Amino acid sequence: MRAPNPLLTTAVAICGLADGKALRSSSPADGGTSLLQTGYLIGNGKLGAIPFGPPGAEKLNLNVDSLWSGGPFEVEGYNGGNPSSPLYGALPGIRERIFQSGTGGMDELLGNGNHYGSNRVLGNLSVTFDGAPSYTNYKRTLDLDDGVHRTKFRINNSSAEIASSVFCSYPDQVCVYHLESTERLPVVAVKFENHLVEQSLLQSSCEGSTVRHSGLTQAGSPEGMKYAAVARVDPKSATTTCSSEGALQISAGKEVTIIISAETNYDQKAGNAQNNWSFKGADPGPVVERISSAASSRGYDSLLDRHVRDYQSLMGEFSLELPDPLRSESEDTDTAGLIEGYSYDGTGNPYLENLLFDYARHLLLSSSRANSLPANLQGRWTESLTPAWSADYHANINVQMNYWLADQTGLAETQHALWRYMADTWVPRGTETARLLYNASGWVVHNEMNVFGFTAMKEDALWANYPAAAAWLMQHVWDSFEYTQDAAWLDSQGYPLLKGVASFWLSSLQDDRFYHDGSLVANPCNSPETGPTTFSCAHYQQLIHQVFDSVLAAQEFIHPSSRDPQFVAAVTAALERLDKGLHFSSWGGIKEWKLPESFGYDGKSTHRHLSHLVGWYPGYSISSFANGYGANTSIQNAVRETLISRGMGNAEDANAGWAKVWRAACWARLNDSATAYGELRYAIDQNFVGNALSMYSGTEPPFQIDANFGFAGAVLSMLVVDLPVADGARMRTDSRTVVLGPAIPREWAGGRVKGLRIRGGGMVDFSWDARGVVNRARVVSRGTGGRVRLVNVEGHLLAEL
Ligand SMILES: *[C@@H]1O[C@H](CO)[C@@H](O)[C@H](O)[C@H]1NC(C)=O
Ligand SMILES: *[C@@H]1O[C@H](CO)[C@@H](O)[C@H](O)[C@H]1NC(C)=O
Ligand SMILES: *[C@@H]1O[C@H](CO)[C@@H](O)[C@H](O)[C@H]1NC(C)=O
Ligand SMILES: *[C@@H]1O[C@H](CO)[C@@H](O)[C@H](O)[C@H]1NC(C)=O
Ligand SMILES: *[C@@H]1O[C@H](CO)[C@@H](O)[C@H](O)[C@H]1NC(C)=O
Ligand SMILES: *[C@@H]1O[C@H](CO)[C@@H](O)[C@H](O)[C@H]1NC(C)=O
Ligand SMILES: *[C@@H]1O[C@H](CO)[C@@H](O)[C@H](O)[C@H]1NC(C)=O
């Protein structure tokens, strides 16, 4: 990574916009409904910001992670959708019907999504000055070397050049807006606004060198969620007054620095019985005063320096360097032009593909840090009070996909947001849900989760009745341990999560009373968003296989006092009898349900989800545990047939980006670089718009961030196959094989990777030849997790560690 540019804060640097990997535009981002199709996103995990608007009338759309409507801030006694009395009395009947007739329903267990709420926008900070309605030489960049959003322009065709820089700092917990000019700046006016909310619930004020904005999400009882934001100017560097409209007016010479802090009184640690499920924490007013004052006293240079160091420490953990044969990287090339000019039928554009990969890493560390909520359906960013699907946590692919890139690219720390969120908001209510709905131990959640412990089922059966979400997330828990080897974390947080989910499934699995084959199966179950409610869905069986295996593998790493021999014995016995969710259809694909084909469900389908391939990618219960990747051609062929039948991910009601990048990743695991790369190109062509964000359906809003993250995951799966072995204890003794470059297309010839993490804690650099075959690998660090052979796609040994 480059060192921070020392010229940045001098007048000379005004000419220097990003010269490396950057999003670039020669026109300002639009506000309103096009904000998420034109703006570039920045954030520090907790805070999100999107600068937009023309020179002289710039605004920042601001987000704070926990600002939600709904929950206990909207209704007394909010209980996460759980029923007031047990419903599990219906369960034996539900199960019996399904075993008798093959399919059934589970509507008796449905809950409701009342007061579920929604993530919502905090407001705009506007930064205006007179005289810029006419401007020239406008440039806007988001520099992925330092995470700073910059604009540069001249006003009134004069010689004065003005530049703005905006970044959100994790170390200082503020966003910073800096304006500088080669000549004296006009008077700059700063104020907060939110036109979307009931104005009587808002308070705005200007005092001294500070503007404040605070509010409540609702009037009356119970008290709404409180939020507060402050924008502060260093009084030493400027003369400030308050206008009659309450705007801060700054006369500052050639530079102005505005420091922004925002918070709510939400506290996820208070979402449990001990705290009366209040989710309520400290008043945000004093918090934002303290944070903004502390940041303000540092001064701009120090704030920038601390931000850049933090940003580069994470971004610099990994690099992918693809060639730029089309010479796309130039100050004069608009990113939107590259994306608009990109086509599936073309030869791709490695520069753009690399840029989207880097942007995914930027988006993850901007939306998920140790003190924030995890990245939601829109990461951290919305301009609305009611974003699509509440910008919540959908967990039948979406939140999982958000984190596909974390472990291997040195962003493991972004996942602490996810672990804390699960431990604090899913486990307490989900333990009740497990008991009330399933008479089960452990904990469970379903498909859609808010920040207030909603763990029950919502109304819509087909989408809601999905208790396998937590089992899927447990792959992330176990993977994170394998990549980081952080045994203290495994013991204190990772293993308790795993154990709770394993307990749920231990007490929920049933003897298969349809086939009477002695296997253990889930009943009721379904495949996300398609097909019948039935028993032994391949998706569930594969995921439960992984959960049980992780519990057993974890035993040797956890503290002896955490071990529980009876539980381990029960998991071992259940794993032995578990149906592993791997059956073949007559047409050569993987069956999605164990149900006989005569029921008519297992025909070819172009459905967007690949649920029955979850154990192929992103999971490994069929790609690794069944020895499918290395050797078993019947499994490989069945996966291929399934992928062919599933099509390109553009079917029926959703031409979704996540469906395409998931397919790309699966094809990569078949060593099929041409098809994997084709799917990646198709995703960019169909779903990515000019500001490099992915839209949900073709290029139509809403924005949904999963395909941005999943894009990077798919690229990683083209770069490496690093699978665990069943019973991870064996990793210590057996030699494991990692394949570098299973599916690197020729178009990426001459590229290289630095800092790829592998299981066991090792790290490698590698590069490839003109055919995309890896020919050089260097072990950077060995890790502690056992012996590994690094081979290329042709099976040649490259290195050992
Ligand atoms: C707990 O919450 C309920 C419902 O919101 C309220 O009626 C009750 O007074 C609260 N109890 C305590 C001890 O705060
Ligand atoms: C730019 O021009 C407009 C009208 O043409 C004028 O009102 C304004 O004061 C000028 N601004 C500056 C900074 O010179
Ligand atoms: C801006 O300045 C340039 C060069 O000084 C001149 O060619 C151009 O006509 C000016 N444009 C306007 C709108 O005044
Ligand atoms: C922010 O400003 C834009 C453009 O003026 C406006 O459309 C939008 O409603 C504002 N957002 C809020 C929350 O007021
Ligand atoms: C609920 O589970 C407990 C413990 O497994 C069991 O003893 C009890 O019979 C179950 N009740 C019903 C109604 O299934
Ligand atoms: C491949 O996997 C299938 C399904 O598990 C199994 O039936 C078959 O025996 C395996 N083939 C080989 C060669 O191991
Ligand atoms: C992919 O290549 C690796 C390394 O040569 C090999 O072990 C594996 O079996 C191949 N997989 C497929 C699906 O061909």
Side-chain angles (χ1 to χ4, degrees):
M1 308 301 299
R2 293 199 330 262
N5 185 345
L7 299 177
L8 225 53
T9 54
T10 71
V12 184
I14 285 175
C15 309
L17 288 167
D19 60 359
K21 300 257 174 62
L23 304 180
R24 298 186 165 82
S25 176
S26 50
S27 57
D30 302 324
T33 52
S34 340
L35 181 68
L36 290 164
Q37 285 77 47
T38 56
Y40 298 157
L41 314 185
I42 55 176
N44 65 6
K46 180 177 280 288
L47 303 176
I50 313 176
F52 68 96
E58 260 193 307
K59 293 183 181 181
L60 295 185
N61 181 89
L62 292 170
N63 292 107
V64 56
D65 58 351
S66 55
L67 184 52
W68 269 69
S69 57
F73 297 89
E74 192 173 288
V75 65
E76 300 285 352
Y78 183 75
N79 71 353
N82 277 334
S84 47
S85 56
L87 300 180
Y88 59 73
L91 201 54
I94 290 172
R95 287 182 167 142
E96 208 42 45
R97 277 200 307 276
I98 289 173
F99 277 137
Q100 287 300 321
S101 56
T103 63
M106 56 195 293
D107 290 1
E108 297 93 323
L109 305 183
L110 287 182
N112 69 68
N114 296 343
H115 306 287
Y116 184 83
S118 175
N119 187 217
R120 54 185 262 183
V121 65
L122 176 76
N124 291 322
L125 182 78
S126 79
V127 182
T128 55
F129 54 83
D130 287 341
S134 70
Y135 58 88
T136 57
N137 298 59
Y138 182 88
K139 293 278 184 203
R140 166 167 69 108
T141 60
L142 171 56
D143 189 339
L144 300 179
D145 283 333
D146 62 13
V148 179
H149 183 288
R150 296 187 174 85
T151 67
K152 187 184 80 166
F153 49 88
R154 289 177 195 275
I155 50 173
N156 281 14
N157 206 15
S158 79
S159 62
E161 195 161 54
I162 300 189
S164 71
S165 306
V166 195
F167 58 89
C168 295
S169 160
Y170 177 71
D172 289 302
Q173 288 295 303
V174 290
C175 297
V176 178
Y177 183 105
H178 182 77
L179 201 60
E180 60 184 314
S181 173
T182 51
E183 290 168 18
R184 195 181 165 78
L185 279 165
V187 172
V188 177
V190 176
K191 68 176 170 61
F192 284 106
E193 64 183 19
N194 187 331
H195 300 307
L196 307 178
V197 299
E198 173 63 57
Q199 298 299 304
S200 65
L201 292 174
L202 265 190
Q203 285 191 314
S204 295
S205 65
C206 173
E207 187 192 348
S209 53
T210 304
V211 274
R212 297 185 173 84
H213 173 87
S214 61
L216 278 172
T217 53
Q218 72 171 21
S221 172
E223 186 179 56
M225 188 184 285
K226 289 184 183 170
Y227 56 95
V230 163
R232 187 182 288 279
V233 173
D234 180 356
K236 291 192 293 295
S237 69
T239 312
T240 54
T241 54
C242 293
S243 75
S244 51
E245 293 86 42
L248 184 65
Q249 299 198 291
I250 309 163
S251 314
K254 293 182 179 176
E255 274 187 64
V256 180
T257 304
I258 302 160
I259 287 155
I260 305 141
S261 163
E263 188 47 290
T264 72
N265 66 339
Y266 170 87
D267 180 5
Q268 72 176 24
K269 291 268 177 227
N272 50 38
Q274 299 89 292
N275 291 286
N276 204 18
W277 308 99
S278 71
F279 284 99
K280 194 174 276 187
D283 257 17
V287 175
V288 295
E289 296 298 332
R290 193 176 64 243
I291 290 175
S292 61
S293 300
S296 172
S297 68
R298 289 194 177 277
Y300 178 69
D301 292 352
S302 162
L303 290 170
L304 177 63
D305 185 58
R306 284 158 58 85
H307 159 70
V308 173
R309 277 171 207 275
D310 169 71
Y311 186 87
Q312 294 186 342
S313 75
L314 284 164
M315 282 302 264
E317 287 290 301
F318 181 90
S319 74
L320 169 66
E321 290 166 37
L322 298 182
D324 182 12
L326 305 177
R327 303 193 192 291
S328 304
E329 180 176 359
S330 116
E331 263 208 48
D332 303 323
T333 320
D334 270 20
T335 305
L338 296 180
I339 294 173
E340 275 146 29
Y342 190 96
S343 99
Y344 164 61
D345 300 325
T347 53
N349 178 348
Y351 170 80
L352 178 63
E353 292 143 13
N354 204 154
L355 189 64
L356 294 177
F357 180 91
D358 293 336
Y359 194 39
R361 294 187 70 238
H362 164 89
L363 291 171
L364 186 60
L365 69 91
S366 302
S367 61
S368 188
R369 294 296 292 267
N371 68 337
S372 74
L373 285 160
N376 66 33
L377 277 178
Q378 298 192 173
R380 180 61 59 240
W381 299 273
T382 177
E383 81 296 9
S384 165
L385 295 180
T386 52
W389 299 288
S390 302
D392 70 355
Y393 298 92
H394 270 54
N396 67 14
I397 177 66
N398 316 89
V399 71
Q400 289 91 345
M401 187 176 276
N402 285 1
Y403 289 90
W404 277 4
L405 65 167
D407 286 319
Q408 290 172 311
T409 72
L411 298 181
E413 89 156 68
T414 63
Q415 298 182 111
H416 285 284
L418 188 58
W419 317 144
R420 279 176 3 114
Y421 168 68
M422 289 196 284
D424 292 342
T425 79
W426 288 9
V427 173
R429 278 298 183 201
T431 303
E432 291 188 346
T433 308
R435 187 172 50 79
L436 293 166
L437 267 55
Y438 302 96
N439 191 30
S441 50
W443 57 277
V444 69
V445 301
H446 295 85
N447 179 35
E448 295 174 33
M449 272 65 69
N450 61 14
V451 297
F452 306 117
F454 186 87
T455 50
M457 298 185 201
K458 273 177 153 184
E459 304 81 355
D460 186 345
L462 183 60
W463 267 253
N465 57 4
Y466 175 68
W472 192 340
L473 261 316
M474 290 309 105
Q475 178 188 336
H476 294 250
V477 168
W478 179 245
D479 282 354
S480 185
F481 169 70
E482 287 218 306
Y483 282 95
T484 62
Q485 297 287 303
D486 183 347
W489 169 76
L490 182 69
D491 208 46
S492 63
Q493 191 168 52
Y495 185 69
L497 288 168
L498 279 171
K499 188 175 181 188
V501 175
S503 302
F504 174 81
W505 288 107
L506 264 188
S507 55
S508 298
L509 288 170
Q510 302 289 306
D511 278 301
D512 184 336
R513 296 197 295 280
F514 184 91
Y515 284 103
H516 299 281
D517 58 5
S519 69
L520 287 176
V521 297
N523 175 355
C525 70
N526 50 46
S527 238
E529 308 186 12
T530 186
T533 297
T534 176
F535 67 98
S536 197
C537 305
H539 179 76
Y540 287 45
Q541 305 296 131
Q542 294 169 14
L543 290 173
I544 297 165
H545 183 176
Q546 294 182 177
V547 172
F548 285 175
D549 191 84
S550 307
V551 164
L552 299 181
Q555 294 305 315
E556 76 162 293
F557 304 103
I558 58 176
H559 194 267
S561 64
S562 310
R563 290 185 196 142
D564 175 350
Q566 260 187 314
F567 175 69
V568 168
V571 170
T572 307
L575 179 56
E576 192 135 313
R577 290 176 56 210
L578 183 74
D579 187 302
K580 306 297 190 296
L582 182 57
H583 302 281
F584 301 99
S585 71
S586 60
W587 51 269
I590 306 265
K591 277 176 96 321
E592 197 158 354
W593 302 278
K594 195 175 179 183
L595 211 55
E597 274 181 67
S598 55
F599 280 70
Y601 291 110
D602 255 313
K604 295 186 178 182
S605 151
T606 53
H607 195 260
R608 55 194 177 277
H609 284 257
L610 301 174
S611 299
H612 49 322
L613 296 186
V614 74
W616 179 259
Y617 186 96
Y620 33 70
S621 60
I622 49 177
S623 49
S624 179
F625 297 172
N627 202 15
Y629 183 77
N632 192 312
T633 48
S634 4
I635 298 175
Q636 292 170 0
N637 291 339
V639 168
R640 189 175 297 108
E641 286 306 315
T642 305
L643 285 170
I644 291 169
S645 74
R646 243 18 188 203
M648 299 283 283
N650 56 359
E652 294 124 34
D653 59 331
N655 184 16
W658 59 259
K660 300 180 185 70
V661 295
W662 192 356
R663 282 159 173 75
C666 286
W667 281 108
R669 223 163 243 194
L670 285 166
N671 297 353
D672 189 331
S673 48
T675 312
Y677 187 44
E679 272 286 358
L680 267 196
R681 292 200 309 274
Y682 193 53
I684 297 173
D685 177 330
Q686 294 282 300
N687 296 104
F688 283 71
V689 299
N691 64 345
L693 294 181
S694 61
M695 298 300 124
Y696 179 74
S697 189
T699 50
E700 292 300 308
F703 158 53
Q704 192 167 295
I705 205 165
D706 42 22
N708 277 88
F709 292 132
F711 179 89
V715 168
L716 284 164
S717 96
M718 294 159 77
L719 298 174
V720 62
V721 184
D722 178 13
L723 298 171
V725 292
D727 178 7
R730 281 187 12 227
M731 266 178 69
R732 304 253 154 184
T733 48
D734 297 3
S735 180
R736 215 163 50 82
T737 299
V738 169
V739 181
L740 297 180
I744 297 177
R746 286 167 184 278
E747 289 82 350
W748 293 356
R752 60 183 179 153
V753 162
K754 283 191 203 159
L756 181 88
R757 301 296 200 285
I758 58 177
R759 287 176 201 274
M763 197 200 289
V764 298
D765 297 347
F766 60 96
S767 55
W768 49 88
D769 67 15
R771 298 170 303 150
V773 176
V774 173
N775 52 5
R776 290 160 65 109
R778 190 174 76 89
V779 177
V780 182
S781 66
R782 315 193 70 80
T784 55
R787 291 182 297 154
V788 182
R789 300 172 69 247
L790 299 175
V791 305
N792 68 13
V793 71
E794 293 172 342
H796 298 304
L797 183 67
L798 297 160
E800 278 186 283
L801 68 158

